[in-house]
Amino acid sequence: LMSLNSTALSHPPYFLLIGIPGLEKEQFWIAFPFCIMYAVAVLGNITLILIIKGDPSLHEPMYLFLAMLAFNDLVLSTSMLPKMLGVFWLGAGEIGFQSCLAQLFFIHTFSSVESGVLMAMALDRYFAICWPLRHSSILSVPVVAALGTLVLVRGVLLVSPVCFLLHRMPFCHHHTISHSYCEHMAVVKLACGDTRLNVIYGLFVAFIVIGSDIILISVSYIMILWVVLRLLSAEARLKAFSTCASHVCVILAFYIPALFTFLTHRFGQSIPPHIHIMVADLYLLVPPMLNPIVYGVRTKKLWDRVV
């Protein structure tokens, strides 16, 4: 009987998502702009994928990485937003234990993939600007496909142990998640066993993914800047800067909120919960909405296909 009880205690049948702590009354209205952002993200990213798929002249590294980013953004935003709207509009906060782990897996895996694709795009810009004659031979279609696969496998391999560790944790009494979706640290805080391993592994994954990708992106752009500033033609300099500016905007829109949410969970006790959770929500909605707009408008080849 004791073992049955302990098993029942260790895994609650469901968790309860409360949405945005402190803004429970306002979140009904907050859901409307969130829904519009999601609609723009879905429409924009599907359009991007269809344009790139349907035009053989766009089967170049830059556009193939862009198609990967668009697909990733669709998965990332869809893994959290429909459920979040259910919480905000219908008060349907209940989420089964296994469903919660699945949502957590998708959100963290595809956040890692997003970071990896942005890193691959920075490498693509580096080779295009610094090694223009060898660009297509270095980044051939098989190499682009291998990079995409590698980034996906990295995400799956690094995030799977997070779910496994949570599955083994006992959850005693607290089943209410102070968040709009199942996020690793928000779920860890409900466990009643020793969570040090979960916290350390979470830090390790973030350091491996964000740390390595930011270093590679930074090095790529320092090298690009070095080459661009030595170009004789002002027009060529402007063109190179213009190409990179859109990518830098997308990178900042992804990494700044990501780092904010990650650090707030661990060190930001003085930050009001509603601000923390709002940023965490927007971090999974703004990049998917922004990416097709920024790249679609800034990239002449794509813009010509749209209009």
Side-chain angles (χ1 to χ4, degrees), residues 189 259-269 271-272 276:
K189 284 174 181 174
L259 287 167
F260 175 84
T261 32
F262 171 75
L263 294 170
T264 303
H265 255 311
R266 287 157 179 86
F267 315 109
Q269 280 73 29
I271 291 169
H276 172 206

Side-chain angles (χ1 to χ4, degrees), residues 87-151:
V87 176
F88 288 3
W89 278 337
L90 309 170
E94 283 190 12
I95 182 166
F97 182 78
Q98 303 296 346
S99 304
C100 185
L101 286 190
Q103 189 186 48
L104 186 148
F105 173 78
F106 274 96
I107 286 171
H108 289 289
T109 298
F110 285 92
S111 292
S112 159
V113 173
E114 179 107 357
S115 178
V117 173
L118 290 174
M119 179 267 291
M121 290 172 87
L123 289 177
D124 170 60
R125 291 298 83 214
Y126 165 72
F127 286 120
I129 290 169
C130 301
W131 304 87
L133 299 178
R134 295 183 59 197
H135 177 224
S136 54
S137 59
I138 295 169
L139 282 179
S140 59
V141 172
V143 171
V144 170
L147 264 174
T149 307
L150 201 67
V151 162

Side-chain angles (χ1 to χ4, degrees), residues 213-234:
D213 291 351
I214 284 179
I215 288 166
L216 277 166
I217 288 168
S218 304
V219 169
S220 298
Y221 276 99
I222 289 165
M223 302 290 279
I224 288 168
L225 200 61
W226 177 249
V227 169
V228 167
L229 290 173
R230 289 162 64 199
L231 291 173
L232 295 173
S233 153

Side-chain angles (χ1 to χ4, degrees), residues 183 210 252 254-268 270-281 283:
E183 195 270 348
I210 296 180
L252 293 176
F254 176 74
Y255 283 113
I256 290 171
L259 287 167
F260 175 84
T261 32
F262 171 75
L263 294 170
T264 303
H265 255 311
R266 287 157 179 86
F267 315 109
S270 59
I271 291 169
H274 64 275
I275 291 181
H276 172 206
I277 304 306
M278 279 282 279
V279 173
D281 293 347
Y283 147 63

Side-chain angles (χ1 to χ4, degrees), residues 178-231:
S178 297
H179 212 301
S180 311
Y181 53 85
C182 288
E183 195 270 348
H184 176 232
M185 283 305 293
V187 178
V188 165
K189 284 174 181 174
L190 301 184
C192 58
D194 184 358
T195 59
R196 276 177 303 180
L197 186 57
N198 302 64
V199 173
I200 291 165
Y201 185 73
L203 281 167
F204 165 74
V205 170
F207 180 74
I208 289 289
V209 172
I210 296 180
S212 61
D213 291 351
I214 284 179
I215 288 166
L216 277 166
I217 288 168
S218 304
V219 169
S220 298
Y221 276 99
I222 289 165
M223 302 290 279
I224 288 168
L225 200 61
W226 177 249
V227 169
V228 167
L229 290 173
R230 289 162 64 199
L231 291 173

